[in-house]
Short mmCIF file of all heavy atoms in Angstrom, two decimals:
data_model
loop_
_atom_site.label_atom_id
_atom_site.label_comp_id
_atom_site.label_asym_id
_atom_site.label_seq_id
_atom_site.Cartn_x
_atom_site.Cartn_y
_atom_site.Cartn_z
N ALA A 1 8.30 -15.38 114.97
CA ALA A 1 7.21 -16.05 114.24
C ALA A 1 5.88 -15.34 114.42
O ALA A 1 4.92 -15.57 113.65
CB ALA A 1 7.11 -17.50 114.69
N GLU A 2 5.74 -14.50 115.43
CA GLU A 2 4.48 -13.81 115.69
C GLU A 2 4.24 -12.64 114.75
O GLU A 2 3.14 -12.10 114.68
CB GLU A 2 4.44 -13.31 117.15
CG GLU A 2 4.45 -14.42 118.18
CD GLU A 2 4.29 -13.86 119.59
OE1 GLU A 2 3.75 -12.74 119.72
OE2 GLU A 2 4.72 -14.54 120.55
N VAL A 3 5.29 -12.17 114.04
CA VAL A 3 5.17 -11.00 113.17
C VAL A 3 4.55 -11.40 111.84
O VAL A 3 5.05 -12.27 111.14
CB VAL A 3 6.55 -10.33 112.95
CG1 VAL A 3 6.42 -9.15 112.01
CG2 VAL A 3 7.15 -9.89 114.28
N ALA A 4 3.44 -10.73 111.50
CA ALA A 4 2.76 -11.02 110.23
C ALA A 4 3.11 -10.00 109.16
O ALA A 4 3.18 -10.33 107.97
CB ALA A 4 1.25 -11.05 110.44
N GLY A 5 3.34 -8.76 109.56
CA GLY A 5 3.68 -7.72 108.58
C GLY A 5 4.33 -6.54 109.25
O GLY A 5 4.07 -6.23 110.42
N PHE A 6 5.19 -5.87 108.49
CA PHE A 6 5.95 -4.73 109.04
C PHE A 6 5.30 -3.43 108.61
O PHE A 6 4.90 -3.27 107.46
CB PHE A 6 7.40 -4.79 108.56
CG PHE A 6 8.24 -3.62 108.99
CD1 PHE A 6 8.41 -3.33 110.34
CD2 PHE A 6 8.86 -2.81 108.06
CE1 PHE A 6 9.18 -2.24 110.74
CE2 PHE A 6 9.62 -1.72 108.45
CZ PHE A 6 9.79 -1.44 109.80
N VAL A 7 5.24 -2.48 109.53
CA VAL A 7 4.73 -1.14 109.25
C VAL A 7 5.92 -0.19 109.24
O VAL A 7 6.48 0.11 110.31
CB VAL A 7 3.70 -0.70 110.31
CG1 VAL A 7 3.21 0.73 110.01
CG2 VAL A 7 2.52 -1.67 110.34
N PRO A 8 6.38 0.25 108.07
CA PRO A 8 7.59 1.09 108.03
C PRO A 8 7.34 2.49 108.57
O PRO A 8 6.21 2.98 108.57
CB PRO A 8 7.94 1.13 106.54
CG PRO A 8 6.64 0.92 105.85
CD PRO A 8 5.82 0.01 106.73
N PHE A 9 8.42 3.12 108.99
CA PHE A 9 8.35 4.49 109.49
C PHE A 9 8.03 5.43 108.33
O PHE A 9 8.51 5.26 107.21
CB PHE A 9 9.70 4.88 110.11
CG PHE A 9 9.77 6.32 110.54
CD1 PHE A 9 9.32 6.70 111.79
CD2 PHE A 9 10.29 7.29 109.70
CE1 PHE A 9 9.38 8.03 112.20
CE2 PHE A 9 10.36 8.62 110.08
CZ PHE A 9 9.90 8.99 111.34
N SER A 10 7.23 6.45 108.62
CA SER A 10 6.97 7.50 107.63
C SER A 10 7.04 8.85 108.32
O SER A 10 6.76 8.96 109.53
CB SER A 10 5.58 7.32 106.98
OG SER A 10 4.55 7.68 107.89
N ALA A 11 7.43 9.85 107.55
CA ALA A 11 7.56 11.18 108.12
C ALA A 11 6.21 11.73 108.56
O ALA A 11 6.15 12.60 109.44
CB ALA A 11 8.20 12.12 107.08
N GLN A 12 5.13 11.25 107.95
CA GLN A 12 3.80 11.76 108.30
C GLN A 12 3.34 11.21 109.66
O GLN A 12 2.87 11.95 110.52
CB GLN A 12 2.77 11.38 107.22
CG GLN A 12 2.93 12.13 105.91
CD GLN A 12 4.13 11.65 105.11
OE1 GLN A 12 4.50 10.47 105.20
NE2 GLN A 12 4.76 12.55 104.37
N THR A 13 3.48 9.90 109.85
CA THR A 13 3.00 9.29 111.10
C THR A 13 4.03 9.32 112.21
O THR A 13 3.69 9.33 113.38
CB THR A 13 2.59 7.83 110.86
OG1 THR A 13 3.75 7.08 110.47
CG2 THR A 13 1.53 7.74 109.75
N ARG A 14 5.33 9.30 111.83
CA ARG A 14 6.46 9.20 112.78
C ARG A 14 6.32 7.97 113.68
O ARG A 14 6.66 8.00 114.85
CB ARG A 14 6.59 10.47 113.62
CG ARG A 14 6.98 11.69 112.80
CD ARG A 14 7.27 12.88 113.66
NE ARG A 14 6.08 13.31 114.37
CZ ARG A 14 6.09 13.91 115.57
NH1 ARG A 14 7.23 14.13 116.18
NH2 ARG A 14 4.97 14.28 116.15
N ILE A 15 5.79 6.90 113.09
CA ILE A 15 5.56 5.64 113.80
C ILE A 15 6.01 4.50 112.91
O ILE A 15 5.91 4.55 111.69
CB ILE A 15 4.05 5.47 114.13
CG1 ILE A 15 3.60 6.46 115.20
CG2 ILE A 15 3.74 4.05 114.59
CD1 ILE A 15 2.11 6.43 115.46
N SER A 16 6.53 3.43 113.53
CA SER A 16 6.79 2.17 112.82
C SER A 16 6.37 1.04 113.74
O SER A 16 6.10 1.25 114.93
CB SER A 16 8.27 2.05 112.44
OG SER A 16 9.08 1.97 113.60
N GLY A 17 6.32 -0.17 113.22
CA GLY A 17 5.93 -1.29 114.07
C GLY A 17 5.61 -2.52 113.26
O GLY A 17 6.14 -2.71 112.15
N ALA A 18 4.74 -3.36 113.80
CA ALA A 18 4.40 -4.62 113.14
C ALA A 18 2.97 -5.01 113.46
O ALA A 18 2.45 -4.69 114.54
CB ALA A 18 5.37 -5.71 113.57
N ASP A 19 2.34 -5.69 112.52
CA ASP A 19 1.05 -6.34 112.75
C ASP A 19 1.33 -7.80 113.08
O ASP A 19 2.18 -8.44 112.44
CB ASP A 19 0.16 -6.24 111.51
CG ASP A 19 -0.24 -4.80 111.22
OD1 ASP A 19 -0.41 -4.03 112.19
OD2 ASP A 19 -0.33 -4.42 110.02
N LEU A 20 0.63 -8.33 114.08
CA LEU A 20 0.92 -9.66 114.60
C LEU A 20 0.01 -10.72 113.99
O LEU A 20 -1.12 -10.42 113.55
CB LEU A 20 0.79 -9.66 116.12
CG LEU A 20 1.65 -8.61 116.85
CD1 LEU A 20 1.45 -8.70 118.35
CD2 LEU A 20 3.12 -8.77 116.49
N ALA A 21 0.52 -11.95 113.97
CA ALA A 21 -0.22 -13.06 113.36
C ALA A 21 -1.53 -13.31 114.09
O ALA A 21 -2.53 -13.73 113.48
CB ALA A 21 0.66 -14.32 113.37
N GLY A 22 -1.58 -13.04 115.37
CA GLY A 22 -2.80 -13.28 116.14
C GLY A 22 -3.81 -12.16 116.04
O GLY A 22 -4.84 -12.21 116.72
N GLY A 23 -3.52 -11.13 115.27
CA GLY A 23 -4.47 -10.05 115.07
C GLY A 23 -4.15 -8.78 115.83
O GLY A 23 -4.81 -7.75 115.61
N GLY A 24 -3.16 -8.80 116.69
CA GLY A 24 -2.81 -7.60 117.43
C GLY A 24 -1.82 -6.73 116.65
O GLY A 24 -1.47 -7.00 115.50
N GLU A 25 -1.33 -5.69 117.33
CA GLU A 25 -0.34 -4.79 116.72
C GLU A 25 0.61 -4.27 117.79
O GLU A 25 0.27 -4.22 118.98
CB GLU A 25 -1.03 -3.60 116.05
CG GLU A 25 -1.71 -2.65 117.05
CD GLU A 25 -2.16 -1.34 116.43
OE1 GLU A 25 -2.55 -1.33 115.25
OE2 GLU A 25 -2.11 -0.31 117.14
N VAL A 26 1.82 -3.91 117.36
CA VAL A 26 2.78 -3.21 118.22
C VAL A 26 3.29 -2.01 117.43
O VAL A 26 3.50 -2.10 116.22
CB VAL A 26 3.96 -4.11 118.66
CG1 VAL A 26 3.54 -5.10 119.72
CG2 VAL A 26 4.58 -4.83 117.47
N ARG A 27 3.43 -0.89 118.12
CA ARG A 27 3.90 0.33 117.49
C ARG A 27 4.92 1.01 118.38
O ARG A 27 4.84 0.95 119.61
CB ARG A 27 2.73 1.30 117.22
CG ARG A 27 1.66 0.78 116.27
CD ARG A 27 2.16 0.71 114.84
NE ARG A 27 1.09 0.37 113.90
CZ ARG A 27 0.77 -0.86 113.53
NH1 ARG A 27 1.45 -1.90 114.03
NH2 ARG A 27 -0.21 -1.07 112.67
N LYS A 28 5.88 1.67 117.72
CA LYS A 28 6.85 2.49 118.45
C LYS A 28 7.03 3.78 117.67
O LYS A 28 6.92 3.81 116.44
CB LYS A 28 8.20 1.77 118.61
CG LYS A 28 8.98 1.55 117.32
CD LYS A 28 10.30 0.84 117.61
CE LYS A 28 11.23 0.84 116.39
NZ LYS A 28 10.72 0.07 115.25
N GLY A 29 7.32 4.88 118.40
CA GLY A 29 7.50 6.15 117.71
C GLY A 29 7.61 7.30 118.68
O GLY A 29 7.74 7.12 119.90
N ALA A 30 7.55 8.52 118.13
CA ALA A 30 7.63 9.72 118.95
C ALA A 30 6.46 9.75 119.93
O ALA A 30 5.37 9.25 119.65
CB ALA A 30 7.63 10.96 118.07
N SER A 31 6.70 10.37 121.06
CA SER A 31 5.71 10.36 122.14
C SER A 31 4.36 10.90 121.68
O SER A 31 3.32 10.25 121.86
CB SER A 31 6.23 11.19 123.32
OG SER A 31 5.24 11.33 124.31
N ASP A 32 4.34 12.07 121.07
CA ASP A 32 3.06 12.67 120.68
C ASP A 32 2.38 11.85 119.59
O ASP A 32 1.14 11.75 119.55
CB ASP A 32 3.27 14.11 120.22
CG ASP A 32 4.23 14.22 119.04
OD1 ASP A 32 5.12 13.35 118.91
OD2 ASP A 32 4.12 15.17 118.25
N ALA A 33 3.16 11.21 118.70
CA ALA A 33 2.58 10.41 117.63
C ALA A 33 1.91 9.15 118.18
O ALA A 33 0.81 8.77 117.75
CB ALA A 33 3.65 10.04 116.61
N ILE A 34 2.57 8.49 119.13
CA ILE A 34 2.01 7.28 119.73
C ILE A 34 0.77 7.62 120.55
O ILE A 34 -0.24 6.90 120.53
CB ILE A 34 3.05 6.57 120.60
CG1 ILE A 34 4.14 5.95 119.71
CG2 ILE A 34 2.41 5.49 121.47
CD1 ILE A 34 3.69 4.78 118.86
N LEU A 35 0.81 8.74 121.27
CA LEU A 35 -0.36 9.15 122.06
C LEU A 35 -1.55 9.42 121.14
O LEU A 35 -2.69 9.05 121.44
CB LEU A 35 -0.01 10.40 122.88
CG LEU A 35 0.94 10.19 124.07
CD1 LEU A 35 1.38 11.52 124.64
CD2 LEU A 35 0.26 9.34 125.15
N ARG A 36 -1.28 10.07 120.01
CA ARG A 36 -2.34 10.36 119.05
C ARG A 36 -2.89 9.06 118.45
O ARG A 36 -4.11 8.89 118.29
CB ARG A 36 -1.80 11.29 117.97
CG ARG A 36 -2.86 11.82 117.03
CD ARG A 36 -2.34 12.98 116.18
NE ARG A 36 -1.08 12.67 115.50
CZ ARG A 36 0.10 13.21 115.83
NH1 ARG A 36 0.18 14.08 116.83
NH2 ARG A 36 1.20 12.88 115.17
N HIS A 37 -1.98 8.12 118.14
CA HIS A 37 -2.40 6.85 117.54
C HIS A 37 -3.22 6.01 118.51
O HIS A 37 -4.21 5.38 118.12
CB HIS A 37 -1.16 6.07 117.10
CG HIS A 37 -1.45 4.67 116.63
ND1 HIS A 37 -1.99 4.40 115.39
CD2 HIS A 37 -1.31 3.46 117.26
CE1 HIS A 37 -2.15 3.09 115.25
NE2 HIS A 37 -1.75 2.49 116.37
N SER A 38 -2.84 6.02 119.78
CA SER A 38 -3.50 5.16 120.77
C SER A 38 -4.69 5.85 121.45
O SER A 38 -5.46 5.19 122.16
CB SER A 38 -2.50 4.71 121.84
OG SER A 38 -1.97 5.85 122.51
N GLY A 39 -4.82 7.16 121.28
CA GLY A 39 -5.95 7.88 121.86
C GLY A 39 -5.77 8.18 123.33
O GLY A 39 -6.76 8.44 124.03
N HIS A 40 -4.54 8.19 123.82
CA HIS A 40 -4.28 8.46 125.24
C HIS A 40 -3.87 9.92 125.43
O HIS A 40 -3.45 10.60 124.48
CB HIS A 40 -3.16 7.56 125.77
CG HIS A 40 -3.57 6.13 125.93
ND1 HIS A 40 -4.27 5.66 127.02
CD2 HIS A 40 -3.37 5.05 125.12
CE1 HIS A 40 -4.48 4.36 126.89
NE2 HIS A 40 -3.94 3.96 125.73
N ILE A 41 -3.97 10.36 126.69
CA ILE A 41 -3.37 11.63 127.09
C ILE A 41 -2.12 11.29 127.89
O ILE A 41 -2.06 10.24 128.53
CB ILE A 41 -4.34 12.51 127.91
CG1 ILE A 41 -4.76 11.77 129.20
CG2 ILE A 41 -5.56 12.91 127.09
CD1 ILE A 41 -5.56 12.64 130.16
N PRO A 42 -1.09 12.16 127.85
CA PRO A 42 0.16 11.81 128.53
C PRO A 42 -0.02 11.76 130.05
O PRO A 42 -0.55 12.69 130.66
CB PRO A 42 1.12 12.93 128.12
CG PRO A 42 0.23 14.07 127.74
CD PRO A 42 -1.01 13.46 127.18
#
């Protein structure tokens, strides 16, 4: 019930996930893609 919308996988982002009803987000994907999306260093 917490899932508000689905973010499909794309070859450009190499990430998929969901936007949550409470305003947050969850993402899963290749290591370098997630690091780039979240702004972290490994």
Side-chain angles (χ1 to χ4, degrees):
E2 295 185 23
V3 178
F6 176 59
V7 178
F9 175 86
S10 74
Q12 289 74 31
T13 64
R14 293 187 295 150
I15 290 174
S16 65
D19 294 326
L20 305 180
E25 67 169 33
V26 285
R27 298 289 188 269
K28 68 179 190 295
S31 174
D32 59 332
I34 290 292
L35 288 170
R36 188 167 51 251
H37 173 77
S38 61
H40 288 279
I41 60 172

